[in-house]
Amino acid sequence: MDNEQNIPSPSPIEIIKDNSNYLRGTINESLADPLTGGMQPNDQVLIKFHGTYQQQDRDLDEERKHQKLEPLYSFLIRVRVPAGVTTAEQWLAMDSLSDEYGDKTLKLTTRQAFQFHGVLKRNLKKTIQEINKSLLDTIAACGDVNRNVMCSANPFESPIHAEVAEDAKKISAHLTPRTNAYHEIWLDGKLVEGGEKEEEPLYGKLYLPRKFKIAIAIPPRNDSDVLSNDLGFIAIVEDGELIGYNITVGGGMAYTFGNTATYPRVADVVGYIPKEKIVEASEAILIFQRDHGNRSERKNARLKYTIDRLGIHFFHAEIKRINGTVLRPNREYHFDSMGDKYGWIQSADGFWHYTVFVEGGKLVDKNGYLAKTALREIAQIHQGTFILTGNQNVVIAQVTKTQKPLIEKILKKFKVINATGISSLRQNSIACAALPYCGLAFAEAERYLPTLIDRIDQVLEANDLFKVPISIRMTGCPNGCGRPFLAEIGLVGRAPGLYNLYLGASFTGERLNKLYMEMVNEDQIIDLLSPIIQHFAQARTKDEHFGDFVIRKGYVKATTAGKYFHA
Ligand code: SF4
């Protein structure tokens, strides 16, 4: 309801934040309540800022209902890993925590983070404490704050990659919330007295209107999917030196079925800054969104809508007013892919780096395929680091010449997929977690996409396209955690077994796809894709990508901007 001045009322979440005393709420009381495995509703909102979500095992819902039990509540915990870099010791700690307190799986997310699923309330605090002991944390991994800052994978590939990864860490540290609530609640830190003032200089007590995502890409690879972020930086290199960044604003994937006022959006490239201004520019743009984002309608609260509503000229003027950030004209850049380079590469300093394909980002020992064990054994001897990639894979980085054969031996012993024997479609696949834990999922994603790819692979093989790179992404709902609207073949769950099929995104993450067919099942997906794939095999031009082909041949219209996604 509007007030007398016709100012829209803040959304209920804004009121929860306002009354939370800087994200404390009654989380401690909820944790101590032995009568339920869940948290109080307001605390369910607040714990997201601390890096955890309440979920329930939806596979067991019916059975539990029958037994007159509450749903089997458990918690997702997301571990913030700026630029995706972890030590071998940290890897071992995450691996062991997933076995001890989680569901024995380790999810590598599309934002270079670790995710545990299935953690029971009684183990939540212990797990977060153990994560902090390993010098990682979960603060701001979720919630209306800046999330994990992504970066082109492998900072050890070149000095430029290293410099850019350092910038990602600087931004992450600068934009981390300052509230002491996290330490009080999870780490038994000293309580801030009731009336005592706490400083949250960047965010204020309401934090941001919605989540805020930042990524950095180093052309020609767009492996961080930079244009899907609220704020992005594209590294500009001249004569072998990093000189600065093009800034991108207003990317975001989510939309709501049936609501055309919501849409995914590819970010606009709005200017250039010299490299030393990256933290200052990040702060200005975050403050712009803090002050101008929509706080009454969460579905329209992301920066992408603020930019479309207020216009780019206002944006430029405001960030200049906030802290003097002035954007210069964009510099030239070129992307050629969004994917990871699998297998071994050697960097100029002589180290080796091996990118392991992890299907759906899910590390689990299952059906005789012991990828989780293999990486644990590698971590036990590895003297370098592990890098989580934005494509849900992992790089075993900084391997010495002496260690290379030892690591290779473990990979071979466990037959860990090195991506050479699989289709390029599978190599370029992403799936969100979806069922059984995600409460928003309408359909399967991570558990099902591998099976669907088996069938599409047969069509590709029959058309001699098995090794032609095509991107495919599946999510259980249109919230877009797996960035499905930037895939050449996008599949988004509508109901159990039914998906919307989207086609026509660019292979480089610079153009969204478009709805091709609604509510299709597996056989229909294969029936729809087969003739298009066959046509692609016969009529594509040299090096033409599938997403460009389906537009050239009129299967779908090109989506030239987010607001035309539904047109
Ligand atoms: Fe859940 Fe939807 Fe995100 Fe998938 S995209 S994890 S179904 S919210």
Side-chain angles (χ1 to χ4, degrees), residues 432-434 438-443 445 475-482:
C432 78
C438 179
L440 301 173
F442 297 116
T475 57
C477 85
N479 274 331
C481 303

Side-chain angles (χ1 to χ4, degrees), residues 150 152-153 220-228 335-342 389-393 427-428 430 469-473 482-489 505-511 545:
M150 291 177 70
S152 275
R221 258 192 292 161
N222 184 17
D223 55 340
S224 61
D225 242 336
V226 67
L227 301 178
S228 68
F335 287 132
D336 64 14
S337 75
M338 293 187 289
D340 293 333
K341 274 190 209 165
Y342 294 104
T389 82
N391 288 301
Q392 305 180 310
N393 298 309
Q427 287 182 13
N428 287 285
I430 284 182
I470 299 172
S471 59
I472 181 167
R473 295 175 176 180
R483 304 189 288 268
F485 307 114
L486 281 168
E488 292 175 291
I489 302 173
S506 67
F507 186 69
T508 56
E510 294 171 279
R511 182 185 62 236
H545 282 289

Side-chain angles (χ1 to χ4, degrees), residues 3 8 131 208 229 316 345 354 356 387 405 461 506 509 548 550:
N3 66 19
I131 291 166
L208 297 180
N229 288 265
H316 280 284
I345 60 158
Y354 187 91
V356 182
I387 323 282
E461 206 155 11
S506 67
D548 301 329
V550 295

